[in-house]
Amino acid sequence: MKFSSINQLREDSFLAAKRFPLSLISAFLGSFLLTYLIEIDEFDQQLSLVNLLLTLALGVPLFFCVDILIEKLKLDFTKRLFGWGIALIILTLIYFSFPEENTFTTTRIPYIRYIIYNLTAHLLVAFLSYWNEKSDLTFWKFNENLFLRIVLATFYSLVIFTGISLALAAIRTLFSVEIEPKTFFEIFIFTVGIFNTWFFLSGVPRNLEERISLKSYPKGFKIFTQFILIPLLLVYLAILYFYGAKIILTWDWPKGIVSYMIIAISVLGIFTNLLLFPIQDQKESTWIKTFYRAFYFLLIPLIVLLFLAIGIRIQDYGLTVNRYIILLMGIWLTLIVCYFTFGPARIKIIPISLAFFMIIGSFGPWGMFSLSESRQVDRLEKILTDSNILLNGKIQNEVFWEISEKGRLISKSPKEINRLSQENLEDVNSIIQYLEDYHGFKAILNWFEQDLKKLYQESSNSSSRFFRLDYGKFIVESMGIKYIPNYLIDNGSINENSISWNAEYDEVKVISGFDFAMDFNFNSGNYEKNWALPGTSEVVVKIDPELGILYFELEENKIEFDISALRSALLNQYGNGFVENIDAEDMALEFSNDSVNIKIQFQFLENDSNEQDFFDHLEGTILFGKITK
């Protein structure tokens, strides 16, 4: 009897392994795989393993659903194998839906769809075994047991991880033992991935017919909801109501973030009502009963505000994946409010309907991915057509490219020849960058005469290529339009002259044909520097920013270098914005005569001022040599 608790723990562990074998196997394999990826530290290069890791993570709830459903329906082992087979097929299809490698065409869509499927699998855990039962009491009791077990498993896992981490930290401090930081992360992975999962599964109730009663209702739930959750919800609801009143009084359109706040508060309120479900009709809980009945009425004005806010965003900027999800959640909330206000108020409809909406919205021409892509492409097409940049399905004044010997894309025609208003310019850049992140450019590549995908891919695959052009920037510039980075859009302070060019840097340099190397760092307002060279007169270098000329003076030599011409050449070849690893020779100026040999190698050129068309900052090295006859 002394070790009864240990024996009970061991018995529960073996029973969990027997009841949910594939869920445990998925957790074990996923934990070891993640640890391996941390050890080799090559997440980007091992995308197939990352995809396998995500698939294993999804296998934990999916196999759990199968096992619970088979157990609930009391089916035989053959049916269980059949269920596992279906789950394996689903996981295999999801794995092969991921991109095989991380390329310039990789988008977020497969991973967003994965998140939707993962959330759906967790919702299935909640209702799959109880979807056709008339009473909600067994459904609520089952989910109460799961919720409490998750809380307990999380608490134990954190205590174990903290204890082991503190022990290792003490060993490292007291005995000077080297322990890598990633070791602590790996301990966390095994604690959460293996112990937490196994402990949770060992506590899953075996009696799936158990019903909740007033006597068995946890008092902690009542205290937590009555004195913490409900007051907080009322505060948040009051804030949103005051914000709605502000909109009416000032006629100031609602901000987009209010949609996210309304959804978050609505979900929290629905969760609170789920916790209160078994005691909602108790006479002793008048305050709780009032809130339970009133909450869905209080949501009605907020849902109107949600649709107003997201409608304005869609009207101004078009439909995107995020806005589709917000709109879908708004429709779901509307139906839930109507159902609980006028319907029979069965609580299992909440996870069932949410899972249904998520799955329906994830595929098909009506889905979030297809519909948002077509709406954004249509919006882009309208802007370009109205501006006479897109005519008869083809881009006018298209910028043509060629690949240099070093694998760089170099324009053969002038850039930024097509002009747009500032608003349309920002919209075009925003749409292109959105398409790059979520959908790719397949829908618009036929607008161009060139095969831009092939050009970019051949340039990217060049072994001698050091300079990487952003794919979205490449598409925008091919349209003959000025590129604006995403972080500058909508900030109200876009500088047409913004430039930041960095030359490729070699730690080891071979200098021949020169006697001296002089580093310089010129900032706006300080464009002059002197050097005293051994055995010769003083060197003076100064810049005239208005003329864009650098003057090099030494004895009778007074040499001019045209920096403005260099600036124009770099703009034509690399464009504006932040560009790294430019070929050093492209950022160099040279002069040679019978007496001197001079090379000015710029390392960094920057202009971020709205007041001039030159440079605020110039860094580099001047190489100087005297020619002896």
Side-chain angles (χ1 to χ4, degrees):
M1 296 298 294
K2 183 178 181 181
F3 300 102
S4 58
S5 59
I6 297 178
N7 291 333
Q8 184 65 47
L9 181 61
R10 182 174 58 187
E11 180 183 337
D12 290 343
S13 299
F14 280 120
L15 182 59
K18 183 179 179 181
R19 293 177 70 194
F20 312 107
L22 295 189
S23 291
L24 273 176
I25 290 174
S26 298
F28 270 83
L29 292 177
S31 299
F32 281 105
L33 180 55
L34 181 54
T35 303
Y36 171 73
L37 288 171
I38 293 172
E39 283 294 327
I40 63 175
D41 195 20
E42 293 182 356
F43 280 84
D44 291 340
Q45 291 76 22
Q46 300 291 336
L47 190 60
S48 59
L49 292 182
V50 174
N51 295 338
L52 179 58
L53 174 65
L54 295 175
T55 306
L56 290 170
L58 180 59
V60 176
L62 195 57
F63 286 123
F64 180 83
C65 285
V66 172
D67 291 329
I68 283 293
L69 182 61
I70 295 299
E71 195 173 301
K72 172 74 173 178
L73 299 178
K74 298 180 173 60
L75 301 178
D76 58 25
F77 186 70
T78 303
K79 300 293 194 304
R80 191 183 193 190
L81 289 176
F82 180 74
W84 286 348
I86 293 176
L88 282 171
I89 292 173
I90 293 173
L91 293 174
T92 302
L93 292 174
I94 290 175
Y95 173 78
F96 284 108
S97 71
F98 292 127
E100 295 180 0
E101 56 181 350
N102 191 13
T103 67
F104 65 94
T105 58
T106 302
T107 65
R108 300 178 185 176
I109 285 181
Y111 299 100
I112 296 175
R113 188 178 280 116
Y114 167 81
I115 293 173
I116 293 172
Y117 293 158
N118 205 315
L119 291 174
T120 303
H122 283 81
L123 289 172
L124 288 174
V125 169
F127 71 82
L128 189 60
S129 300
Y130 297 92
W131 69 275
N132 62 344
E133 290 199 4
K134 297 181 179 180
S135 174
D136 281 336
L137 296 179
T138 52
F139 163 79
W140 194 96
K141 182 61 179 178
F142 174 74
N143 284 278
E144 178 226 354
N145 289 330
L146 295 188
F147 177 74
L148 292 177
R149 193 65 182 183
I150 289 173
V151 172
L152 188 61
T154 302
F155 174 73
Y156 283 0
S157 299
L158 290 176
V159 170
I160 291 173
F161 169 70
T162 303
I164 295 175
S165 299
L166 291 175
L168 291 178
I171 292 173
R172 183 175 61 179
T173 303
L174 298 176
F175 300 100
S176 300
V177 176
E178 185 65 27
I179 300 176
E180 295 184 7
K182 63 183 178 182
T183 301
F184 293 90
F185 188 31
E186 291 168 358
I187 292 171
F188 178 79
I189 291 169
F190 282 113
T191 304
V192 174
I194 296 178
F195 170 79
N196 185 80
T197 304
W198 205 336
F199 183 83
F200 166 76
L201 293 176
S202 65
V204 173
R206 304 174 195 178
N207 180 12
L208 302 181
E209 306 295 336
E210 185 180 2
R211 298 164 63 94
I212 185 65
S213 64
L214 295 180
K215 292 183 178 180
S216 62
Y217 182 83
K219 293 183 179 179
F221 278 7
K222 183 176 181 180
I223 295 173
F224 178 65
T225 53
Q226 187 171 1
F227 298 106
I228 298 178
L229 282 184
I230 291 179
L232 283 175
L233 276 170
L234 291 177
V235 170
Y236 296 146
L237 287 170
I239 292 172
L240 289 176
Y241 266 83
F242 277 116
Y243 179 68
K246 174 179 173 292
I247 291 173
I248 295 174
L249 293 175
T250 61
W251 205 242
D252 184 20
W253 296 117
K255 298 180 180 180
I257 194 174
V258 73
S259 302
Y260 296 94
M261 296 175 63
I262 292 172
I263 289 176
I265 291 170
S266 300
V267 171
L268 181 60
I270 291 172
F271 174 73
T272 302
N273 275 347
L274 287 176
L275 292 179
L276 297 174
F277 169 72
I279 59 170
Q280 58 173 309
D281 294 323
Q282 274 190 297
K283 296 181 180 179
E284 299 83 0
S285 305
T286 307
W287 162 247
I288 292 176
K289 183 178 180 179
T290 302
F291 175 82
Y292 192 92
R293 300 297 184 190
F295 174 73
Y296 294 104
F297 288 99
L298 294 174
L299 281 185
I300 295 175
L302 298 183
I303 292 175
V304 174
L305 181 60
L306 182 151
F307 282 116
L308 180 62
I310 197 62
I312 291 172
R313 300 293 291 181
I314 293 174
Q315 181 179 7
D316 291 344
Y317 305 108
L319 188 68
T320 63
V321 171
N322 292 344
R323 291 170 197 144
Y324 185 104
I325 293 173
I326 294 295
L327 189 61
L328 193 68
M329 289 296 293
I331 297 172
W332 175 74
L333 282 174
T334 302
L335 295 177
I336 289 296
V337 166
C338 293
Y339 177 78
F340 277 87
T341 303
F342 306 107
R346 301 287 301 278
I347 60 173
K348 67 166 68 82
I349 199 65
I350 293 174
I352 292 174
S353 59
L354 183 56
F356 174 79
F357 269 78
M358 291 172 65
I359 292 297
I360 290 297
S362 66
F363 66 92
W366 60 83
M368 64 184 72
F369 306 115
S370 299
L371 201 58
S372 59
E373 180 184 19
S374 63
R375 291 295 181 269
Q376 289 298 326
V377 171
D378 290 345
R379 184 166 164 251
L380 177 63
E381 184 176 5
K382 185 178 187 306
I383 294 173
L384 296 178
T385 301
D386 292 346
S387 304
N388 296 319
I389 296 175
L390 183 67
L391 295 177
N392 299 319
K394 292 295 180 182
I395 295 293
Q396 307 301 299
N397 301 317
E398 178 182 342
V399 175
F400 287 86
W401 306 86
E402 63 182 0
I403 301 176
S404 69
E405 294 180 357
K406 291 190 174 182
R408 292 187 176 87
L409 286 165
I410 299 176
S411 63
K412 298 191 295 183
S413 54
K415 292 183 179 179
E416 300 180 13
I417 195 170
N418 289 322
R419 297 293 177 179
L420 289 167
S421 67
Q422 188 62 39
E423 181 181 358
N424 285 338
L425 182 63
E426 292 186 23
D427 286 344
V428 167
N429 276 274
S430 179
I431 294 170
I432 291 295
Q433 291 169 56
Y434 167 78
L435 291 175
E436 180 183 15
D437 289 339
Y438 288 90
H439 308 286
F441 298 121
K442 184 178 180 180
I444 65 172
L445 288 178
N446 60 346
W447 294 353
F448 301 89
E449 296 291 342
Q450 310 161 92
D451 188 343
L452 295 184
K453 180 179 178 181
K454 182 179 179 181
L455 270 173
Y456 190 84
Q457 188 172 21
E458 289 179 352
S459 176
S460 297
N461 291 338
S462 173
S463 59
S464 61
R465 186 172 191 264
F466 296 98
F467 165 67
R468 175 173 173 80
L469 176 66
D470 182 84
Y471 192 33
K473 180 178 181 180
F474 175 55
I475 296 294
V476 172
E477 291 185 342
S478 297
M479 293 178 174
I481 297 172
K482 177 182 176 62
Y483 173 76
I484 302 176
N486 187 56
Y487 61 87
L488 290 178
I489 296 176
D490 290 333
N491 71 357
S493 59
I494 294 177
N495 175 18
E496 295 285 336
N497 301 316
S498 177
I499 293 170
S500 180
W501 292 322
N502 281 276
E504 60 188 20
Y505 180 78
D506 293 324
E507 293 185 359
V508 179
K509 299 178 178 66
V510 178
I511 300 175
S512 60
F514 301 97
D515 299 316
F516 303 101
M518 299 165 283
D519 294 331
F520 63 87
N521 188 336
F522 293 138
N523 293 300
S524 182
N526 180 21
Y527 289 125
E528 184 172 343
K529 188 172 177 62
N530 301 350
W531 290 273
L533 301 184
T536 185
S537 301
E538 184 179 58
V539 170
V540 179
V541 174
K542 54 187 176 181
I543 296 176
D544 186 336
E546 294 185 1
L547 298 177
I549 301 296
L550 182 147
Y551 298 98
F552 182 95
E553 301 176 6
L554 175 63
E555 298 175 346
E556 71 278 4
N557 295 294
K558 185 174 182 180
I559 304 160
E560 298 180 0
F561 292 89
D562 191 348
I563 303 179
S564 291
L566 175 67
R567 183 180 187 276
S568 298
L570 289 171
L571 272 173
N572 183 57
Q573 184 168 347
Y574 297 105
N576 62 349
F578 184 76
V579 184
E580 289 187 298
N581 296 324
I582 295 176
D583 188 347
E585 293 301 318
D586 290 340
M587 291 181 63
L589 296 171
E590 296 188 63
F591 175 85
S592 182
N593 61 15
D594 294 339
S595 58
V596 296
N597 187 20
I598 303 170
K599 180 177 182 180
I600 301 177
Q601 178 63 66
F602 293 101
Q603 180 64 42
F604 179 66
L605 295 171
E606 181 184 49
N607 176 53
D608 195 29
S609 171
N610 289 309
E611 299 178 358
Q612 64 176 8
D613 194 25
F614 189 60
F615 294 108
D616 299 316
H617 190 186
L618 305 93
E619 287 185 31
T621 302
I622 299 176
L623 303 174
F624 171 74
K626 297 188 78 173
I627 299 176
T628 56
K629 300 180 180 179

